[in-house]
Amino acid sequence: MRKIKVAVMGASGYAGLELVRILARHPGVRLAAVTSREWAGQPLASVFPALTRICDLDFILPDPEAVAGVAEVVFTSVPHQTAMEVVPRLLARDCRVVDLSADFRFKDAAVYEKWYQPHVAQELLAEAVYGLPEIHGYAVSRARLVGNPGCYPTCVILGLAPLVQNKLIHLDSLIADCTSGVSGAGRQASLGTQYCEVNEGLRAYKVAEHRHNPEMEQELSLLAGEPVLVTFSPHLAPLSRGILGTLYARLLRPQSEVEILNFYQNFYEDQPFIRLLPKGSLPNTVNVRGSNYCDIGVRVDGARGRVIVVAAIDNLHRGAAGQAVHNFNLMAGFPETTGLDLVPLIP
Amino acid sequence: MRKIKVAVMGASGYAGLELVRILARHPGVRLAAVTSREWAGQPLASVFPALTRICDLDFILPDPEAVAGVAEVVFTSVPHQTAMEVVPRLLARDCRVVDLSADFRFKDAAVYEKWYQPHVAQELLAEAVYGLPEIHGYAVSRARLVGNPGCYPTCVILGLAPLVQNKLIHLDSLIADCTSGVSGAGRQASLGTQYCEVNEGLRAYKVAEHRHNPEMEQELSLLAGEPVLVTFSPHLAPLSRGILGTLYARLLRPQSEVEILNFYQNFYEDQPFIRLLPKGSLPNTVNVRGSNYCDIGVRVDGARGRVIVVAAIDNLHRGAAGQAVHNFNLMAGFPETTGLDLVPLIP
Amino acid sequence: MRKIKVAVMGASGYAGLELVRILARHPGVRLAAVTSREWAGQPLASVFPALTRICDLDFILPDPEAVAGVAEVVFTSVPHQTAMEVVPRLLARDCRVVDLSADFRFKDAAVYEKWYQPHVAQELLAEAVYGLPEIHGYAVSRARLVGNPGCYPTCVILGLAPLVQNKLIHLDSLIADCTSGVSGAGRQASLGTQYCEVNEGLRAYKVAEHRHNPEMEQELSLLAGEPVLVTFSPHLAPLSRGILGTLYARLLRPQSEVEILNFYQNFYEDQPFIRLLPKGSLPNTVNVRGSNYCDIGVRVDGARGRVIVVAAIDNLHRGAAGQAVHNFNLMAGFPETTGLDLVPLIP
Amino acid sequence: MRKIKVAVMGASGYAGLELVRILARHPGVRLAAVTSREWAGQPLASVFPALTRICDLDFILPDPEAVAGVAEVVFTSVPHQTAMEVVPRLLARDCRVVDLSADFRFKDAAVYEKWYQPHVAQELLAEAVYGLPEIHGYAVSRARLVGNPGCYPTCVILGLAPLVQNKLIHLDSLIADCTSGVSGAGRQASLGTQYCEVNEGLRAYKVAEHRHNPEMEQELSLLAGEPVLVTFSPHLAPLSRGILGTLYARLLRPQSEVEILNFYQNFYEDQPFIRLLPKGSLPNTVNVRGSNYCDIGVRVDGARGRVIVVAAIDNLHRGAAGQAVHNFNLMAGFPETTGLDLVPLIP
């Protein structure tokens, strides 16, 4: 297998770290550079002692031209706004880019600007591919720029796509109740994610006002061919990794769990990272921890006319770095599971 | 304050333990007996060293007649089915009873029998009062037998009652997505609640088939004066105590958060254990830990026509033992907060 | 019971918060003021929603003269260095002070200055009483200024005092291996105490160079009447509250566990907050959580000539705020357990 | 790479599960059978849904002859006593065996019988190799039967070996204070390892009476060439995986940290799984989680004449399954890191 030279910009956050964890063992990759504004000049392993003897690179400054000089493909795991400044410069030097920020996920600049800030690289939005491989895999394989999905949208879209595309449900009835581990909030010090502020607590936050809401609506609307609205409630729970999405919809007509599972089976046929649970089983985030799997279970509440889908992912892996590498594999023409055949860490 | 002699039957489970924790410091109580089939003859403090120097009783066998001989009021914290055998014998000996099992929560024996087993003390169902003090406080104060609510129904009913009674919502649109800490599963050893099986995981279970579903529907239907259905999804998260309920409903007509909070304010006026959060705030279970509070926050998703209510309780305290003592205070004519003025334990 | 007017300076940290938790329900206290430089002007309950309806004070600025104007006794829970500036001004206005910083714990200014910084209120060191009530209770009761012990020294001194005073061990053989929950690091945002940095990890830190080392040596040397050295290793574990100290010493001559427990029994006779565990039992921090207890168990390793003592406290309560209130009770002439008869929160 | 047929007997416990996790991706292995008395006939993935699509074997009954019929090498991850019954039957059918129980770790049957029970396969003790690869690697490579070390002894021996072999310390001064995650207690349901019994607590157990004590003394005595005693205190902390050992010894003569680290460097030269931390750094268990590394840091307490070594391993991986596969690699002639180049899972 040819080794492609890749770089990770923004490797001192949790998603960047997870990228390094995966890429350090990826048989088709030579990790050429890792950047960090804060830690430039220091060994990555001094910031992350867990990677001692695994990655001996030093952090360098996040200079896109320098990075483009050593890498063919760049993962940009920098904050939104920074991404839209960096990515055009990487593309201009013939890098292909998988961007993990929100900057290249939206088709409509107005939607982006409503939820984030002014967009200074709008000319790239039409070209950028929303990097959900089960849905846009072919486009990804030909893309120069992939906008890697947000963690919550990954979970919600994968969980609802077969229902939405097959029009099994009322499209105005969707509710996505999601709970995330704490790593989703990133690695910077803040009071709200201090151990003692999170431990032994459960809370909802940004209900119906989270930035991932328009992202899931964009993609589900595309699948439906008409506007889809989702009431989205994110929660925080005391664990490091994992998102569990419990997704509600009203059925258009009575369906059994077996019938609905059939639609899922067809939709996700041959997808290596989707695991449909047998009737009667529901997923647990720990079963996908450290892996790129999305586990999905389906339950029908017949008496109340609803279907409830439960989907579980590892927010750092499938919800960020693993999915980015999946996109990279598609772009590189590698088998999809290359470097991603990791076994979930239980217990 | 006169000291009433009370007993706790089933004091070696978590709810029973929480009762002992509260009653040991209750100024109107003399704790006369604690029973445990498994630990009879042993000091309570040998099973729970945390209670050394706080409660020096020995466990005795769960003999209702013996218990009735020493206690005026009995908390029965025994499994359902056992409760319906024990309670009539306590009542026959003039005890008043707060029963923490499901056996005396249902008005309709057929509903109980559908979800549990045959009921052998149906003659008491009409008399038994559903012990949610904010709703049935007056009846509780005169009751001989209180059926103490389940933990999830406590959270869900308190969270939805003002919406339902004031008919602000479509009654067929209710969804209760709840997450509980592990103590709700009880204290007996089982694989599913082993530390390593629960830690770092999030999962849904018994979606749309949990026994607490009919209980919340009974009470909300009573409040509405017509049948109310609730799709109910319980989840398990890695913490010891706490239930967070995120409750969804479609608004009949547009309402602001302030308007809806007003309905809550009126509904819960003068209730000492309900804390309505100001607009913009949502509850966290850790803020009610070890207390009898129910914290409630309200959010309107105007674009999608929904109201989302988030309610937080401590499942062992407000969801079991604390509420039972609240009922006891009403029965005894004590101020409602007697022995319950505990400050939540944070962090 | 007369109500004494008290203030808490530095009430937005975890120890200050715990003081407010206790004092809000203390029958001999009227809480007159809480200070916070950061949150001045805001309600305490807006920073700590858990205290809604429990404490309705607003934070005020940390002005010692203003505080002295409304309070008879002041708990100073401010950083070291700040304390030595504030405390003399409080004393000058006739307040009595319990200081939770390190500034008034040392008899020898040189020791303080070696581990901390120059001391600007050295004239108070002779007068200040080291506030470990089981050892200096009488002096505390007459003190104007109490230096409240550090969390680790509280655990280690209580665990070793009977061995040291009775000269049962080689005084050069002491090792204190302690593990703390995360709240000991305080409430300010820092990377090292972020949830994801602490969760699922165990680590040692500042081994043989922690500032609490000279503090425990000072007090144990006083008890022994000769210099005592302690090798001290602090550790961090993923829990919010609790310190477990495992304390090692070589026995001067063979002794049974029963013989050693007798020395402990005599040493701690009538002390309400020391719980000696029966032979064969060892403490668990969760059994003292939220309480002022120190649980102690003793084990002899006869084959290797050592005694191992295990002591458990809640670092925020017994290791800080609870002990401060215990000292306050002694100063005020209240029964020692006033306001401290809290039942440990399990589970 | 030739694929060797291997089997895991006792694959439904945590160590067995970890073996399957590793072996499923080991390039030199064909996993031929997994046994479980309890789950025989069921798919492994129905017991461990995390392994869906990763291992599609069904559990079979633990019949040594049947297993020997399909496997060249067998990992026996069954309880002690069962192991000594099974292993001779496997050897008799020409399997090579890595046994994870305690049954083949001791040279002296009398020691085994003092701490466990009568030994019925004593004739194998002389032949069995204690499978600590850094110390007995050459013997392991030629072994027919390897007694895989216990988790605590792995951590303690690796941490102390260079000190003991180089005679830098008083051999009667050793203290091993170790804290383990909960998975070390195994997967069977028991009250003591229920989530709510472990969470938010820290406790010591079996101090100076744990079965791993004689095991570490055997190996350290062999290294020293004279009897070595270790006072050993195990503790339990609320995390799933990890052992941190804090190891104390009195130095024979003053030494700097750099000098001592040199001895460690020499002792562990070319060992792929030992990571010596630079002066000033101490290990954290999370940095080795899910990997075969042992991280070691050294600290000198000069004033008190002691050296403190801190060692961290993943108890299930390095302390059980990973080490077993390391031994297997040596036996098979594979590069030592084959299948073990896993990156620690942080956060």
Side-chain angles (χ1 to χ4, degrees), chain B residues 193-242:
Chain B
T193 51
Q194 286 287 301
Y195 185 85
C196 292
E197 298 294 309
V198 171
N199 189 35
E200 294 298 293
L202 285 172
R203 62 185 184 88
Y205 67 100
K206 293 193 185 165
V207 170
E209 55 183 348
H210 192 285
R211 286 168 164 176
H212 284 176
N213 208 335
E215 191 181 326
M216 47 186 84
E217 290 179 336
Q218 165 185 290
E219 290 298 312
L220 292 171
S221 298
L222 281 172
L223 277 166
E226 55 183 304
V228 172
L229 292 178
V230 183
T231 287
F232 170 49
S233 298
H235 299 73
L236 192 69
L239 64 163
S240 289
R241 287 176 181 240

Side-chain angles (χ1 to χ4, degrees), chain B residues 48-114:
Chain B
F48 299 120
L51 295 192
T52 302
R53 286 197 166 198
I54 292 163
C55 176
D56 55 8
L57 292 173
D58 291 349
F59 284 115
I60 62 169
L61 281 170
D63 172 0
E65 283 71 30
V67 168
V70 299
E72 300 161 73
V73 179
V74 180
F75 295 89
T76 46
S77 185
V78 295
H80 53 81
Q81 187 151 21
T82 304
M84 65 172 98
E85 291 158 9
V86 163
V87 166
R89 292 162 63 183
L90 292 167
L91 296 176
R93 275 152 195 83
D94 291 332
C95 289
R96 296 171 85 186
V97 174
V98 180
D99 177 49
L100 284 82
S101 85
D103 287 357
F104 299 100
R105 294 177 190 159
F106 290 90
K107 292 294 143 208
D108 182 346
V111 174
Y112 178 89
E113 296 190 335
K114 178 181 167 199

Side-chain angles (χ1 to χ4, degrees), chain D residues 19 22-23 26 75 98 131-138 140-141 146 148-149 154 158 270-274 292-294 317-318 320-340:
Chain D
L19 279 166
I22 300 168
L23 296 171
H26 192 294
F75 295 89
V98 181
L132 201 60
E134 284 83 357
I135 293 178
H136 301 295
Y138 179 70
V140 166
S141 70
V146 168
N148 209 57
T154 296
L158 290 174
D270 298 328
Q271 291 295 347
F273 293 117
I274 304 291
N292 205 43
Y293 291 114
C294 176
H317 202 105
R318 175 66 209 227
Q323 185 152 258
V325 174
H326 189 176
N327 284 317
F328 163 80
N329 285 343
L330 290 167
M331 293 161 82
F334 292 147
E336 290 182 72
T337 59
T338 312
L340 295 174

